[in-house]
Amino acid sequence: MVNYPNGKKTFFETKSKIKHTKENVVYKNRGMDFESDINLSLEFFDEQGLAIITKRPTPINVVHVDYTKGARITDAYFEKQSTTDYNGVYRGKYIDFEAKNTLSKTSLPLHNITTHQISHLKKVLKHGGIAFFVISLESLNKVYLLDAQYVIDFFENKTRCSIPLSDIIEKGIEIKQGYMPRLEILKAIDEAYFHEKND
Amino acid sequence: MVNYPNGKKTFFETKSKIKHTKENVVYKNRGMDFESDINLSLEFFDEQGLAIITKRPTPINVVHVDYTKGARITDAYFEKQSTTDYNGVYRGKYIDFEAKNTLSKTSLPLHNITTHQISHLKKVLKHGGIAFFVISLESLNKVYLLDAQYVIDFFENKTRCSIPLSDIIEKGIEIKQGYMPRLEILKAIDEAYFHEKND
């Protein structure tokens, strides 16, 4: 590997550390940084000219900026995201999703999902966008796309305080894991919303 | 006006300070906080169930967080937005735009627009989204929607280092100003992309 003087690595160099066999990928994913895998997948889709979906920056409330130090922020705090984490455009459609992961072997707790997010996703659906959750079931090493409407209904009926894993598996579309992209999110969207089966 | 103990004002109270005659609105807009007017307009569209378009938070690189003070950020700096400031969904279409204002009486300097933004907008168009600039010509007290493709062509040809105001007026769609919403952005979108004339 080339060591650049500034210590920066290119996209491909970062990746080259991971061995490419399927077993290695699955093993790596077991303790994976789920968010990082989503971000790398989106970066890959962008580079390949397939879709432009970006992560919204975490909103930060800036209290004080020290201009004597070149606009350095010296006091600030994190704010809650009032929307979802990801949005963009794919195949002419507005895409909006939130990522959630659970270590549970039985269910995804609803307290992981905020009323703000539910409200936002309802609006997205109302205006004709595509909205869903990308859910990592870490205990099973599986990732699923679950349509927002299903989660909204579940959230609003409140008969249970968590969505059973069996429901996610039954109602969702599995997002296949691989090397590049790490997560085949677009293929899952094709299957869920464009009625195209990709194997 | 009711003074709440915490000093917060509701959406309508904030607005109630401004007198409602057309003259007053125009006068106020002359030195207006253009970004705030866009944000209030988008908030209005959201409340009215017309569209859901949000401002991306400013990306901030957090260097240090003091957890003894309840996750207070004590060192951080602003990063450049690598995309545009606004995106969302309206009438089933993905919407993406950047706001620019100029005090110049003759032209909008291109150095106000970054190559990152141009690159992002090209991708949006490629994937079937609607992309444009909302440009405030402060010297004329007028606001225009200008399709991103026009700006991209101008930027890439680089025959000039600024877009003449006369071009913006000729090629753009005027965004009417009023009380609520402050800026009739959706009507301008209807006219530019849905071929509906709103007067």
Side-chain angles (χ1 to χ4, degrees):
Chain A
M1 203 180 79
V2 183
N3 280 307
Y4 287 92
N6 63 3
K8 277 194 180 172
K9 291 170 192 121
T10 69
F11 183 72
F12 287 95
E13 283 172 330
T14 313
K15 217 139 302 216
S16 67
K17 281 187 182 170
I18 304 152
K19 293 215 180 71
H20 303 176
T21 62
K22 199 168 180 183
E23 287 69 29
N24 269 303
V25 170
V26 170
Y27 179 75
K28 189 259 160 193
N29 277 343
R30 209 174 287 169
M32 73 182 177
D33 183 347
F34 177 47
E35 188 182 304
S36 147
D37 276 7
I38 292 175
N39 295 345
L40 285 171
S41 303
L42 298 180
E43 203 175 306
F44 175 80
F45 299 143
D46 180 5
E47 285 171 359
Q48 297 289 309
L50 299 171
I52 179 83
I53 302 171
T54 55
K55 186 176 190 303
R56 289 185 174 97
T58 308
I60 290 175
N61 196 312
V62 176
V63 180
H64 189 258
V65 179
D66 188 345
Y67 287 100
T68 64
K69 292 179 185 169
R72 202 79 180 186
I73 298 160
T74 54
D75 190 14
Y77 56 88
F78 295 102
E79 285 192 324
K80 280 242 172 199
Q81 188 75 269
S82 63
T83 59
T84 50
D85 273 347
Y86 298 91
N87 75 347
V89 58
Y90 173 55
R91 296 179 71 168
K93 297 293 279 181
Y94 174 82
I95 305 290
D96 200 304
F97 71 89
E98 180 68 20
K100 294 291 174 197
N101 69 326
T102 179
L103 294 163
S104 162
K105 289 176 181 167
T106 53
S107 60
L108 174 74
L110 285 182
H111 65 74
N112 276 348
I113 301 161
T114 69
T115 46
H116 270 126
Q117 287 170 344
I118 291 293
S119 160
H120 176 79
L121 290 167
K122 281 172 79 170
K123 290 172 191 170
V124 168
L125 291 176
K126 183 187 163 187
H127 295 299
I130 288 176
F132 54 86
F133 283 81
V134 172
I135 305 169
S136 170
L137 311 181
E138 295 207 13
S139 61
L140 304 173
N141 189 31
K142 297 272 190 191
V143 180
Y144 282 85
L145 177 159
L146 189 60
D147 186 62
Q149 191 60 59
Y150 185 80
V151 181
I152 293 165
D153 292 344
F154 213 98
F155 195 89
E156 293 189 335
N157 292 335
K158 288 211 191 293
T159 46
R160 291 192 50 156
C161 58
S162 62
I163 306 176
L165 259 50
S166 56
D167 279 31
I168 296 171
I169 294 166
E170 192 198 332
K171 309 288 182 189
I173 304 274
E174 189 181 349
I175 295 175
K176 298 276 164 60
Q177 299 171 56
Y179 170 54
M180 273 174 68
R182 301 272 183 95
L183 298 169
E184 292 279 12
I185 300 169
L186 298 187
K187 286 190 178 171
I189 296 176
D190 289 339
E191 189 175 337
Y193 302 103
F194 294 92
H195 310 293
E196 288 173 14
K197 187 77 187 159
N198 290 281
D199 286 312
Chain B
M1 202 182 79
V2 183
N3 280 307
Y4 287 92
N6 62 3
K8 278 194 179 172
K9 290 170 194 121
T10 68
F11 183 73
F12 287 95
E13 282 171 332
T14 312
K15 216 138 304 216
S16 67
K17 282 187 180 172
I18 306 150
K19 294 216 179 70
H20 302 178
T21 62
K22 201 170 179 181
E23 287 68 29
N24 268 305
V25 169
V26 170
Y27 179 76
K28 189 257 158 196
N29 277 342
R30 209 174 288 170
M32 75 181 176
D33 183 348
F34 177 47
E35 187 181 306
S36 146
D37 276 7
I38 293 177
N39 295 344
L40 285 171
S41 302
L42 298 180
E43 203 176 306
F44 175 79
F45 299 142
D46 179 5
E47 285 170 358
Q48 298 289 309
L50 299 171
I52 177 85
I53 302 172
T54 55
K55 186 176 190 302
R56 288 185 175 97
T58 307
I60 290 175
N61 195 314
V62 176
V63 180
H64 189 257
V65 179
D66 187 345
Y67 287 100
T68 63
K69 291 178 184 167
R72 202 80 180 186
I73 299 161
T74 55
D75 189 13
Y77 55 89
F78 295 102
E79 286 191 327
K80 280 242 170 197
Q81 188 76 270
S82 62
T83 59
T84 50
D85 273 347
Y86 298 91
N87 75 349
V89 58
Y90 173 55
R91 294 179 71 168
K93 298 292 280 179
Y94 174 83
I95 306 291
D96 200 303
F97 72 90
E98 180 67 20
K100 296 289 174 200
N101 69 326
T102 179
L103 293 164
S104 163
K105 287 176 182 167
T106 54
S107 61
L108 174 74
L110 284 182
H111 66 73
N112 275 349
I113 300 162
T114 69
T115 45
H116 270 126
Q117 287 170 345
I118 291 291
S119 160
H120 176 79
L121 291 166
K122 280 172 80 170
K123 290 172 191 170
V124 168
L125 291 176
K126 183 187 163 187
H127 295 299
I130 288 175
F132 52 88
F133 284 80
V134 172
I135 304 169
S136 170
L137 309 181
E138 296 206 13
S139 61
L140 304 173
N141 190 31
K142 296 273 189 189
V143 181
Y144 282 85
L145 177 158
L146 188 60
D147 187 61
Q149 190 61 57
Y150 184 81
V151 181
I152 292 164
D153 292 343
F154 212 98
F155 194 88
E156 295 189 335
N157 293 335
K158 289 209 191 292
T159 47
R160 291 192 50 157
C161 59
S162 61
I163 305 176
L165 259 49
S166 56
D167 280 30
I168 296 171
I169 293 167
E170 192 198 332
K171 309 288 182 188
I173 304 275
E174 189 183 348
I175 296 175
K176 298 276 165 57
Q177 299 172 55
Y179 170 56
M180 274 172 69
R182 301 272 184 95
L183 298 168
E184 292 279 12
I185 300 170
L186 297 187
K187 285 189 180 171
I189 296 175
D190 289 341
E191 188 174 337
Y193 302 103
F194 294 92
H195 311 291
E196 287 173 14
K197 186 80 188 158
N198 289 281
D199 285 310

